[in-house]
Amino acid sequence: MRARSLKCVYQLAKQEPRVVFVGSDLGVGTLKEFKAEMPERFFMEGIAEAHLIGMSAGLAKEGYIPYVNTIATFLTRRCYEQIAIDVCLPNLPVRLIANGGGLVYAPLGPTHLAIEDIALMRLLPNMTILVPSDAEEMERLMQQTLDWPGPIYIRVAKGGEPLVSDPNKECKIGKAILLREPGEVLIVTMGYMVHRALETAIHLQKEGIQCGVLNMHTIKPLDKEAIFSYADRVKYLVVLEEHHKSGGLGSAVIEAFVDTGRPLSNLMHFALPDQFSEHYGSQDQLLDHYALSIANICKHIKKQLGMRDECK
């Protein structure tokens, strides 16, 4: 997914002279075609993330559209003030492409786990947040970032994810995509967890439970109307995310219901616990460790529906 996102930046730069790339010590081979063909719009600035944001804000004020790329934890934690004051306050068109969202960098431990990034970015006025489910959806969304007003945070997975998005369904920033029709249950999810949600729905169907999947690729602005329209039709609304329970997709959904005075007594929320991880391994291993396995999700949904657990 990261490779596809950078390829999209290169393609956008070829069609729009305002596009510039700003990276942080990403390796000599990164966007080598971009660097060779448009060196005046290619900047590799080293391990200096706060500088990257200030520089990008300056370029945006001069009429450019900067696409910034580095590791998600460095991009969100190290230069939060610069993003808030230099980019969001003046509402500049800076695109922040964050590598390794969620538990992607599980082998590197807690310092590299971007599991509070969405919460941090949601707090900032004017910020748009995109979490594509796969490389193809990434490309469809990236094409729309060129003319989008204001800053965008794009959470990127590691690459090689299953292709789960539907090219026949309209993909538009701010509009959720229904991938499976709901019955008793609807799972609202994002990014890497979309494929787990679809697998969960398949397992539940074998047990006679119709489970829908709503791909919420845009976290801010949230497609509240899609959530409300489908939530009215199900027994349980399930939020599944690769993020802390606080501040992420689940919080956004709950806030949407509270703000509109709608009742919300049938919500289930699967997310990461409010703690730093003490474990290392793969992304999938940590997801399973924190009870985000398909079997565990099935188990708890069936329990809420009053059924015995036979989901394996």
Side-chain angles (χ1 to χ4, degrees), residues 41-97:
R41 290 191 277 145
F42 179 92
F43 304 94
M44 192 65 72
E45 295 299 300
I47 307 173
E49 287 79 8
H51 159 66
L52 260 66
I53 301 303
M55 173 182 173
S56 297
L59 288 166
K61 285 186 175 182
E62 292 298 317
Y64 292 98
I65 305 173
Y67 284 77
V68 183
N69 180 229
T70 191
I71 294 174
T73 48
F74 302 165
L75 186 56
T76 54
R77 296 176 190 163
R78 289 185 178 177
C79 45
Y80 192 66
E81 182 174 12
Q82 284 73 28
I83 293 174
I85 304 304
D86 295 349
V87 174
C88 289
L89 180 60
N91 198 22
L92 296 174
V94 177
R95 286 56 173 115
L96 307 173
I97 303 173

Side-chain angles (χ1 to χ4, degrees), residues 234-247:
V234 300
K235 292 181 179 178
Y236 283 97
L237 182 68
V238 178
V239 178
L240 174 62
E241 61 181 316
E242 188 184 9
H243 188 275
H244 277 165
K245 280 196 171 183
S246 300

Side-chain angles (χ1 to χ4, degrees), residues 28-302:
V28 294
T30 302
L31 283 176
K32 58 183 180 181
E33 295 88 358
F34 191 131
K35 183 178 180 180
E37 297 173 25
M38 298 166 280
E40 74 284 358
R41 290 191 277 145
F42 179 92
F43 304 94
M44 192 65 72
E45 295 299 300
I47 307 173
E49 287 79 8
H51 159 66
L52 260 66
I53 301 303
M55 173 182 173
S56 297
L59 288 166
K61 285 186 175 182
E62 292 298 317
Y64 292 98
I65 305 173
Y67 284 77
V68 183
N69 180 229
T70 191
I71 294 174
T73 48
F74 302 165
L75 186 56
T76 54
R77 296 176 190 163
R78 289 185 178 177
C79 45
Y80 192 66
E81 182 174 12
Q82 284 73 28
I83 293 174
I85 304 304
D86 295 349
V87 174
C88 289
L89 180 60
N91 198 22
L92 296 174
V94 177
R95 286 56 173 115
L96 307 173
I97 303 173
N99 299 340
L103 300 171
V104 167
Y105 289 122
L108 301 179
T111 58
H112 283 60
L113 301 184
I115 51 181
E116 72 292 293
D117 58 325
I118 292 172
L120 292 171
M121 294 297 104
R122 278 188 66 230
L123 287 172
L124 299 175
N126 298 322
M127 181 64 79
T128 294
I129 302 173
L130 305 180
V131 188
S133 62
D134 59 28
E136 292 186 358
E137 187 168 75
M138 162 68 74
E139 185 167 353
R140 289 191 283 271
L141 289 169
M142 284 290 289
Q143 293 298 321
Q144 301 172 47
T145 63
L146 189 62
D147 298 317
W148 186 262
I152 306 176
Y153 178 76
I154 307 166
R155 192 196 228 205
V156 178
K158 64 183 175 182
E161 297 81 16
L163 295 178
V164 294
S165 63
D166 187 343
N168 298 313
K169 293 181 180 290
E170 183 183 20
C171 182
K172 186 177 180 181
I173 292 177
K175 296 296 181 182
I177 301 174
L178 187 68
L179 296 178
R180 282 181 67 102
E181 285 288 337
E184 298 97 321
V185 179
L186 174 67
I187 300 177
V188 181
T189 188
M190 63 181 187
Y192 185 68
M193 301 307 288
V194 171
H195 88 275
R196 287 204 171 204
L198 290 168
E199 288 294 323
T200 297
I202 292 171
H203 281 281
L204 290 173
Q205 188 172 32
K206 294 176 182 177
E207 300 294 324
I209 300 170
Q210 179 64 30
C211 177
V213 176
L214 186 64
N215 174 13
M216 195 62 62
H217 56 68
T218 305
I219 309 303
K220 185 180 180 183
L222 190 72
D223 189 353
K224 300 176 185 179
E225 293 308 315
I227 297 172
F228 295 154
S229 64
Y230 295 118
D232 291 340
R233 297 159 45 185
V234 300
K235 292 181 179 178
Y236 283 97
L237 182 68
V238 178
V239 178
L240 174 62
E241 61 181 316
E242 188 184 9
H243 188 275
H244 277 165
K245 280 196 171 183
S246 300
L249 177 59
S251 294
V253 171
I254 293 169
E255 290 164 15
F257 276 85
V258 172
D259 290 346
T260 56
R262 293 172 178 264
L264 185 61
S265 59
N266 61 343
L267 176 72
M268 300 177 68
H269 188 193
F270 294 92
L272 298 169
D274 184 20
Q275 64 187 63
F276 290 106
S277 176
E278 297 179 352
H279 299 273
Y280 294 75
S282 69
Q283 182 181 18
D284 285 331
Q285 286 173 334
L286 260 64
L287 285 170
D288 291 347
H289 173 77
Y290 288 118
L292 295 177
S293 66
I294 294 167
N296 189 65
I297 298 166
C298 284
K299 174 183 175 181
H300 283 84
I301 291 175
K302 293 186 69 176

